[in-house]
Amino acid sequence: MAKLVVNNGETLVAQLHLDAPRVVIGRGEQCQIRLASASVSKEHAAVLSIGNDHILEDLKSTNGTKVNGASVSRHVLQNEEIIEIGEFRIRYMNHRALKDMDFDRTMIFSGDPNLGVAFSEDAAAAAANTDQVSTARAVRVSFPLGGVRGLKGAHAGKEISLEPVLRRFGQPGRATVAIMRRPQGYVLMNVEGNGAVLNSRNVGAEWPMLQHKDLIEIAGEQYTFFLVGK
């Protein structure tokens, strides 16, 4: 199970297993991780659980939230990354987290998506993880499998499966979005920057549900979302 390990210098402050859908970090008494410091906002940041993965979200804190030294508003956490809040350093530990969620690990297929999927070598290795496969199967029974078709940019003319719990698109370090599988369907969210546009409307801090034939734009790339079989 994923966990957060909180240190202030060499002093261990707290450890918490991420077994709840949302964990709030701050100096307020209601927070699951309480950091007693004036440099920490009452509700400073939150960690959201998405399948085997977790997303860190700054809650409009006064002094901001960093990951590995870089300021973030939302960030898909990777194993062993360091969250910085005031003088506190919080290590995220999760060996089940998706690694390097860039395009070399994206499952790409062509033609009719009902005819099958051609896995990249990295994607095939990830699929060998029975926990991730079980999660995907559990979600699949609740709603149809989706995907995106590239209309403009590096993936123009390609179709990308959204079977995994989470996929990231855009230009890492500049502007990226994540598409997440949830029990009721697919959700779009900004991860880096604030440049995601859905059907000509800026997404901002919202988490809109995707509908068949929605148009997604990010960092000069365009995709259309589809549900398999429609």
Side-chain angles (χ1 to χ4, degrees):
M1 181 180 292
K3 69 176 180 179
L4 298 176
V5 179
V6 185
N7 283 275
N8 186 345
E10 298 298 321
T11 303
L12 177 65
V13 175
Q15 295 188 60
L16 180 72
H17 287 285
L18 295 172
D19 55 1
R22 186 173 186 263
V23 170
V24 177
I25 305 168
R27 75 170 191 272
E29 293 183 0
Q30 74 279 13
C31 296
Q32 286 75 34
I33 295 182
R34 191 179 180 194
L35 305 178
S37 171
S39 65
V40 180
S41 297
K42 288 183 178 180
E43 290 193 351
H44 196 107
V47 177
L48 311 177
S49 296
I50 307 293
N52 287 328
D53 298 279
H54 297 87
I55 294 174
L56 174 69
E57 181 177 15
D58 182 78
L59 300 178
K60 298 182 179 179
S61 63
T62 301
N63 295 317
T65 301
K66 295 182 178 180
V67 175
N68 299 333
S71 296
V72 300
S73 54
R74 284 197 184 113
H75 178 79
V76 182
L77 290 166
Q78 304 295 294
N79 186 40
E80 298 293 340
E81 284 191 319
I82 303 297
I83 303 166
E84 301 173 41
I85 295 179
E87 62 268 37
F88 299 92
R89 300 295 179 269
I90 306 172
R91 183 180 298 276
Y92 171 74
M93 302 176 69
N94 181 10
H95 296 291
R96 295 182 180 179
L98 295 175
K99 298 178 180 179
D100 302 324
M101 291 181 298
D102 295 324
F103 300 120
D104 60 330
R105 293 181 182 270
T106 300
M107 293 188 296
I108 298 176
F109 57 96
S110 59
D112 185 344
N114 292 304
L115 298 180
V117 176
F119 289 82
S120 70
E121 182 177 349
D122 283 333
N129 183 316
T130 56
D131 289 326
Q132 292 186 11
V133 172
S134 296
T135 299
R137 285 176 180 167
V139 175
R140 190 184 303 125
V141 301
S142 300
F143 60 92
L145 176 66
V148 295
R149 296 184 180 93
L151 302 178
K152 181 180 177 182
H155 297 279
K158 296 177 180 177
E159 293 185 343
I160 302 173
S161 168
L162 296 176
E163 183 172 8
V165 171
L166 186 147
R167 285 290 189 209
R168 188 171 66 174
F169 300 88
Q171 296 185 14
R174 176 187 164 195
T176 60
V177 295
I179 298 178
M180 297 176 292
R181 298 190 72 178
R182 307 187 86 175
Q184 66 271 36
Y186 287 89
V187 174
L188 177 71
M189 64 172 287
N190 278 303
V191 176
E192 295 177 285
N194 193 31
V197 174
L198 178 64
N199 299 327
S200 301
R201 180 174 176 270
N202 191 277
V203 172
E206 298 177 9
W207 290 26
M209 295 291 299
L210 290 173
Q211 305 297 323
H212 186 61
K213 295 186 177 182
D214 274 350
L215 179 65
I216 302 165
E217 301 174 75
I218 181 68
E221 300 176 356
Q222 290 183 348
Y223 302 89
T224 183
F225 172 78
F226 66 87
L227 293 172
V228 174
K230 285 197 174 184

